Amino acid sequence: MISVARNEASAEFFDGTARGELLVRRCPRCSPLIAPNVPQCPACGSTELTWVPASGRATLVTWTVVPVPGGGHVVAGIVELAEGPWLHARIRGVAPEDLAEGIALGVGFERHEDGEAVPVFHA
Ligand SMILES: [Zn+2]
């Protein structure tokens, strides 16, 4: 999961979400983009990663419908960004019976109680 806590490693990510930008990491030596919560390049091991904005377009990979005490549910999903990296995120605005692998989603941002905006994905 993306940590909701701001720390040195996540500060730039949350500065991005506060602006309405979804940032992913890029290794300056290798070209593939890397999920924002991965601190090290999986190809070369570099920790000298830079941040680049993602388009916010994604497709649904897998999901779990989690009942909420008192009624309703939330959908916890894994999405594949158009740029390649996978993210854990809440899925909003899709009825459980309409959830399907590969449906197109777009990013939005929700602010949590601790004040950080976190990415969520809508159909
Ligand atoms: Zn690398």
Side-chain angles (χ1 to χ4, degrees), residues 23-38:
L23 299 179
V24 294
R25 297 186 199 251
R26 173 156 55 199
C27 175
R29 291 190 244 171
C30 318
S31 49
L33 298 177
I34 303 163
N37 56 334
V38 176

Side-chain angles (χ1 to χ4, degrees), residues 9 12-13 19 22-41 44 46-54 85:
E12 202 158 345
F13 178 79
R19 294 192 302 267
L22 179 63
L23 299 179
V24 294
R25 297 186 199 251
R26 173 156 55 199
C27 175
R29 291 190 244 171
C30 318
S31 49
L33 298 177
I34 303 163
N37 56 334
V38 176
Q40 210 172 4
C41 175
C44 73
S46 173
T47 55
E48 305 289 309
L49 305 180
T50 58
W51 291 98
V52 294

Side-chain angles (χ1 to χ4, degrees), residues 58-109:
T59 53
L60 186 59
V61 175
T62 188
W63 64 92
T64 306
V65 179
V66 183
V68 174
H73 65 271
V74 295
V75 180
I78 296 177
V79 302
E80 181 175 355
L81 299 180
E83 292 80 6
W86 288 21
L87 282 188
H88 287 89
R90 289 283 167 84
I91 310 301
R92 300 284 194 215
V94 188
E97 61 271 23
D98 294 333
L99 291 162
E101 194 181 328
I103 61 171
L105 301 168
V107 76
F109 298 92

